[in-house]
Amino acid sequence: MGAKKEYDEEESKKLWSACDNEEWDEATRLLAGGRADPNFESGGGLTPFLEACSEGAPLPLLRALRAAGARPGAVTGHGWGAVHSTCFNGHLEVTKWLVEELGLRGQLDVESKNGQTPLDLAKENKHTEIENYLVVLSDAPAEQAKLASCRRLLAAWKVHGHKRGWGGGEEGKAKVIADTEAEIKKLLDLIAERQLQAATNADEDEEMTDIDDMRETAAEATADVWEAQGREIEDLRTELGKIRDTRFRAEVKVARLRVEERNHMTALEIYEDKMLEKKTGKRVADWKPPTDLAGFNSMNATDYEFYQLTQERKDRRMNELQAKVERLVARLTDRERVDGPGS
């Protein structure tokens, strides 16, 4: 059993810092030096490998960390594994690599101390592509397990196939590798097809949600418009009621004035009649005006005074009738303007 490798603490801290700050060239240089510990932990349990996954490091660097001995199953103090970090930050390629090549599919069912799985974290941060990928994984566990098995078998045959007592020689080995690669391609195509279908379904669901939102918004806007119009109509009705009430009051007042006017004119006529009768000794009601020129010429002063009085009354009544007609026309005009024609 070999001796435990000794690492330099300062170099290990630098490696951790380089992964935390996305300084991938510096991290690669420190790993190549062999003095930096790939499993060096910070206060929160974060290792360089977990930091690199969280920040979406290039796959060559992640493979180099793994080759240097990094533990892919490390977990932070909050219960987050590498898959939790990549799903939270939206790194689809790294997530696929962790699940499909490193076999960390088991982390998909692990809840953090807050009770969140990687799928929960992807949904929370709206990483739709990762969410669809994880949904497909949950719907096709058999295909994923078979894919991981084929990849492990392929790696073993490529590296160790000739040492396992295989009797088919290089030709037989090549055939097994080719068949395994074909099976892997078939499985990848099947998984990709399911991912595409899941993404399509997600897009359709999102479109339906958008349509529902637009319909709801349109309904609310329509309701607001109707409500505003209803308020305007109600205000107009109130205003129209006030106008009609004002007009009614005015008409009542005018009617009273006309009654008073008629009473006044009647009293005036009675007074004039009495004064004239007193002066002439004749009753106005009994007097008849002449019907021809001879009769007119034969009138005395008293008859002429009677004649003038009757003409003045006639003219006055004609003027009153004309004024009444004008008021009636004006009232009808106002009513058409307020109520509309035909009201």
Side-chain angles (χ1 to χ4, degrees):
M1 191 172 178
K4 184 178 179 180
K5 187 173 182 179
E6 296 291 333
Y7 294 106
D8 183 89
E9 184 175 357
E10 288 301 318
E11 292 291 295
S12 299
K13 288 180 179 180
K14 289 180 181 179
L15 175 62
W16 187 95
S17 179
C19 292
D20 181 46
N21 295 312
E22 302 182 32
E23 297 171 352
W24 310 133
D25 292 339
E26 176 66 8
T28 301
R29 184 189 68 77
L30 290 167
L31 270 179
R35 299 173 59 200
D37 183 2
N39 294 306
F40 176 81
E41 291 187 8
S42 68
L46 284 166
T47 64
F49 182 80
L50 289 177
E51 280 289 355
C53 290
S54 177
E55 302 299 336
L59 294 184
L61 174 59
L62 294 175
R63 291 191 177 100
L65 284 165
R66 181 70 187 92
R71 295 190 299 272
V75 178
T76 69
H78 296 291
W80 281 27
V83 179
H84 291 78
S85 298
T86 57
C87 290
F88 178 81
N89 291 307
H91 303 307
L92 177 61
E93 185 180 11
V94 180
T95 301
K96 288 183 175 181
W97 178 74
L98 292 171
V99 173
E100 297 175 12
E101 290 195 26
L102 293 192
L104 296 183
R105 191 179 183 284
Q107 286 192 4
L108 298 178
D109 300 321
V110 176
E111 294 184 356
S112 67
K113 289 188 176 180
N114 290 332
Q116 293 177 300
T117 65
L119 179 58
D120 295 331
L121 295 171
K123 287 181 178 179
E124 178 184 324
N125 292 279
K126 304 186 186 318
H127 299 311
T128 307
E129 289 186 344
I130 293 182
E131 180 184 344
N132 293 337
Y133 171 71
L134 297 182
V135 169
V136 171
L137 284 181
S138 63
D139 289 342
E143 286 82 357
Q144 292 293 335
K146 189 173 182 180
L147 178 62
S149 176
C150 287
R151 281 177 167 162
R152 288 193 295 270
L153 179 62
L154 180 62
W157 272 102
K158 285 183 176 180
V159 178
H160 306 295
H162 63 287
K163 298 179 182 179
R164 295 189 175 185
W166 172 252
E170 290 298 323
E171 183 178 349
K173 175 184 174 181
K175 184 176 184 306
V176 172
I177 291 175
D179 291 344
T180 305
E181 288 178 340
E183 184 66 19
I184 289 174
K185 184 178 184 305
K186 184 198 296 186
L187 289 169
L188 287 174
D189 290 342
L190 177 60
I191 292 171
E193 182 180 351
R194 291 192 177 184
Q195 288 176 340
L196 178 60
Q197 184 60 46
T200 301
N201 293 339
D203 290 341
E204 291 177 352
D205 291 341
E206 186 174 353
E207 288 177 0
M208 290 305 298
T209 301
D210 291 341
I211 291 173
D212 291 340
D213 290 342
M214 286 189 287
R215 284 175 177 168
E216 183 177 352
T217 301
E220 291 176 354
T222 302
D224 291 341
V225 170
W226 279 108
E227 184 178 356
Q229 289 181 345
R231 287 196 299 268
E232 290 179 4
I233 292 172
E234 192 61 31
D235 292 343
L236 289 173
R237 284 175 176 168
T238 302
E239 194 65 27
L240 180 60
K242 292 179 180 179
I243 293 173
R244 286 175 173 169
D245 184 62
T246 302
R247 187 180 68 186
F248 174 75
R249 293 175 183 275
E251 289 176 349
V252 170
K253 186 174 181 179
V254 169
R256 288 175 179 171
L257 291 174
R258 285 174 182 165
V259 170
E260 292 176 1
E261 181 184 10
R262 283 197 297 271
N263 293 336
H264 175 74
M265 293 305 298
T266 301
L268 180 61
E269 289 177 357
I270 293 173
Y271 173 76
E272 289 176 346
D273 287 350
K274 287 183 177 181
M275 292 299 293
L276 190 59
E277 289 175 0
K278 184 177 180 181
K279 181 178 180 182
T280 63
K282 293 183 178 183
R283 292 186 60 195
V284 176
D286 296 336
W287 185 83
K288 294 182 180 179
T291 58
D292 52 23
L293 182 60
F296 182 81
N297 291 330
S298 65
M299 284 191 307
N300 57 29
T302 302
D303 292 337
Y304 185 73
E305 190 173 355
F306 270 97
Y307 173 77
Q308 283 185 321
L309 176 62
T310 56
Q311 285 300 113
E312 288 175 1
R313 287 181 177 177
K314 181 179 179 181
D315 293 340
R316 185 166 59 225
R317 286 172 180 170
M318 287 296 296
N319 292 335
E320 289 176 3
L321 180 61
Q322 184 177 356
K324 184 176 182 180
V325 171
E326 290 176 354
R327 286 196 298 269
L328 180 60
V329 171
R331 188 194 314 174
L332 291 174
T333 303
D334 290 342
R335 181 170 296 175
E336 285 189 353
R337 185 170 61 251
V338 175
D339 297 339
S343 299

